[in-house]
Amino acid sequence: MLKEDLDIVNVFRKNLFLADSIRGIMIKMKNKSYGRVFTAAQELLKQGVLNSQKLGMSTVCSINLNDSKALAYLSFLDFMEFNSKITGELAEKIKSLAETIPLRYFSFIIGEGYPERKTSKKRVLDVLVIVENEIDSTKILNLLENNCKLMKFEVKVHVFKVSEFLNMLLSKEENYAKNILKKKLVFYGSQNYYAILREAIEHGFRA
């Protein structure tokens, strides 16, 4: 896994709807070596991590959310971002809270209320949990809210089924699901999260 590979995928992680030329991607990466970026992009295209298509005289690349390796890259980058921004006691509290969920398949996401490391003393966490459709989401919500009472800071918990979250993304109205895309940290279940976004995109969702 080369640095350029991750840097390219990270450009698309920040904007899943992006379609751009290799030179445009290089500029967004702030990388001055076109040759290295070109070589890395060609390898990602060969692996299926990226898609390409002709737009006029140009060839543009986009992220392939149907590719397992692309999802693995995205998940790894989410993991790295979380650990760079959430540390110490707060990270342990989040981990402990997630571990109380008696499920294997779910997504655990921290919303825009998270305190930036070294830049904020704010202690309000916005927690989003997305569970499978057959799960009793109210039961999970009550469980988390009870566990949050032990926290030293305010925690706002939202629990949605996959279908509920998907419907919010596809709604024409502004809502919580759309807003959380703007600033979030995915702590657990990144691949499940991107699978939901992929389905939403396939049904016409655009941020």
Side-chain angles (χ1 to χ4, degrees):
M1 187 183 296
L2 300 176
K3 180 180 184 300
E4 281 77 16
D5 294 349
L6 288 176
D7 287 345
I8 290 172
V9 175
N10 201 37
V11 169
F12 291 99
R13 186 178 71 97
K14 294 175 180 178
N15 181 3
L16 294 176
F17 306 95
L18 178 67
D20 206 347
S21 65
I22 292 176
R23 187 168 298 278
I25 294 168
M26 180 194 74
I27 293 171
K28 290 179 174 64
M29 291 167 60
K30 299 180 180 179
N31 190 315
K32 296 181 180 180
S33 175
Y34 178 79
R36 295 182 68 175
V37 174
F38 178 85
T39 300
Q42 289 298 315
E43 182 61 28
L44 291 174
L45 285 165
K46 181 180 178 180
Q47 294 175 13
V49 173
L50 298 182
N51 291 320
S52 67
Q53 67 180 79
K54 279 282 189 181
L55 283 182
M57 299 295 291
S58 300
T59 298
V60 298
C61 302
S62 57
I63 192 73
N64 182 8
L65 292 177
N66 290 302
D67 181 72
S68 59
K69 185 171 288 187
L71 296 180
Y73 278 146
L74 291 167
S75 297
F76 177 75
L77 288 165
D78 282 335
F79 173 80
M80 295 297 291
E81 182 182 29
F82 179 90
N83 284 297
S84 70
K85 292 185 176 180
I86 304 291
T87 60
E89 181 184 6
L90 182 57
E92 289 301 316
K93 293 291 186 183
I94 291 172
K95 180 180 178 182
S96 297
L97 187 61
E99 287 177 345
T100 65
I101 301 175
L103 303 173
R104 182 177 179 183
Y105 297 105
F106 65 93
S107 296
F108 192 100
I109 298 167
I110 304 300
E112 62 180 346
Y114 69 83
E116 295 278 7
R117 187 178 65 166
K118 298 182 181 179
T119 62
S120 174
K121 296 180 180 180
K122 188 177 181 182
R123 280 292 184 267
V124 178
L125 280 182
D126 184 43
V127 173
L128 165 65
V129 177
I130 307 173
V131 299
E132 297 296 306
N133 290 328
E134 65 271 16
I135 301 300
D136 185 342
S137 57
T138 301
K139 183 178 179 180
I140 300 299
L141 176 62
N142 292 337
L143 173 67
L144 289 171
E145 287 182 337
N146 285 334
N147 288 320
C148 286
K149 293 176 182 178
L150 302 175
M151 299 286 189
K152 296 179 180 179
F153 42 85
E154 181 182 353
V155 182
K156 297 167 63 177
V157 181
H158 308 265
V159 180
F160 297 108
K161 296 183 179 184
V162 168
S163 60
E164 293 172 332
F165 193 78
L166 179 60
N167 286 337
M168 284 191 288
L169 291 177
L170 295 177
S171 171
K172 294 181 180 180
E173 306 296 328
E174 280 297 312
N175 55 55
Y176 177 81
K178 292 181 179 181
N179 287 332
I180 201 170
L181 296 182
K182 300 171 185 176
K183 185 179 180 184
K184 61 168 185 327
L185 295 173
V186 184
F187 172 69
Y188 180 86
S190 286
Q191 296 203 27
N192 297 334
Y193 169 71
Y194 288 112
I196 299 170
L197 292 182
R198 178 184 65 215
E199 185 173 352
I201 292 170
E202 289 172 352
H203 285 83
F205 170 63
R206 294 293 181 271

